[in-house]
């Protein structure tokens, strides 16, 4: 039977050999992957999928909008307000001058933004009128068929 020190030496040799074999095989695997990506025109998104919303949120740190003049601490304006600005009613004194984020931000839902972009402001009144006319026509037709069946 082998001693502890002999087994430990063998283990170290096998670890070293495994690392060398892995290094040789990795280059072959990477070359194969690159060839297939070029052949099929694959993108990073195709291989790894879409980033989740949590990853996207984590990736963007945000641009600071407010700064504490005493300590220099900054806040983006999103999330829970820090103690130094929490009780302040008018936060204009803490705005960072020249910051692109100093302008007020209007938040809209994706659904509302899509509707505005698709319909345009000029035609929104016409669209609403057409929808109302169709509803009225359907309502009148529904009443007429209901009376006819009585």
């Amino acid at each position: 039977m082998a001693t502890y020190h002999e087994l430990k030496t063998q283990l170290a040799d096998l670890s070293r050999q495994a690392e060398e074999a892995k290094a040789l095989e990795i280059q072959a695997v990477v070359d194969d992957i690159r060839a297939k990506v070029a052949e099929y025109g694959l993108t990073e998104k195709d291989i790894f999928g879409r980033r989740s919303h949590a990853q996207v949120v984590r990736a963007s740190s945000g641009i600071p909008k407010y700064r504490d003049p005493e300590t220099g601490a900054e806040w983006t304006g999103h999330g829970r307000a820090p103690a130094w600005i929490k009780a302040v009613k008018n936060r204009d004194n803490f705005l960072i001058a020249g910051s692109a984020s100093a302008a007020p931000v209007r938040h809209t839902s994706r659904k509302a933004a899509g509707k505005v972009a698709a319909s345009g402001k000029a035609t929104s009144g016409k669209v609403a009128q057409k929808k109302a006319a169709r509803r009225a026509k359907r309502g009148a037709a529904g009443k007429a068929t209901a009376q006819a069946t009585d």
Side-chain angles (χ1 to χ4, degrees), residues 88-101:
V88 177
K89 290 188 180 187
N90 186 2
R91 297 179 175 170
D92 292 343
N93 296 335
F94 295 94
L95 283 172
I96 297 174
S99 170
S101 64

Side-chain angles (χ1 to χ4, degrees), residues 37 40-49:
V37 165
Y40 293 102
L42 300 173
T43 64
E44 183 180 345
K45 184 178 176 183
D46 295 331
I47 295 170
F48 298 109

Side-chain angles (χ1 to χ4, degrees), residues 69-87:
E70 294 176 14
T71 63
E74 295 177 336
W75 179 50
T76 61
H78 298 284
R80 190 174 182 176
W84 55 267
I85 199 169
K86 187 176 184 179

Side-chain angles (χ1 to χ4, degrees), residues 90-141:
N90 186 2
R91 297 179 175 170
D92 292 343
N93 296 335
F94 295 94
L95 283 172
I96 297 174
S99 170
S101 64
V105 178
R106 183 174 174 218
H107 297 282
T108 58
S109 67
R110 288 183 184 173
K111 187 174 181 181
K115 284 182 179 178
V116 170
S119 65
K121 292 197 175 213
T123 60
S124 64
K126 293 178 184 177
V127 172
Q129 288 174 354
K130 287 181 181 179
K131 284 183 180 181
R134 275 187 255 142
R135 283 190 201 115
K137 189 186 264 186
R138 274 188 256 134

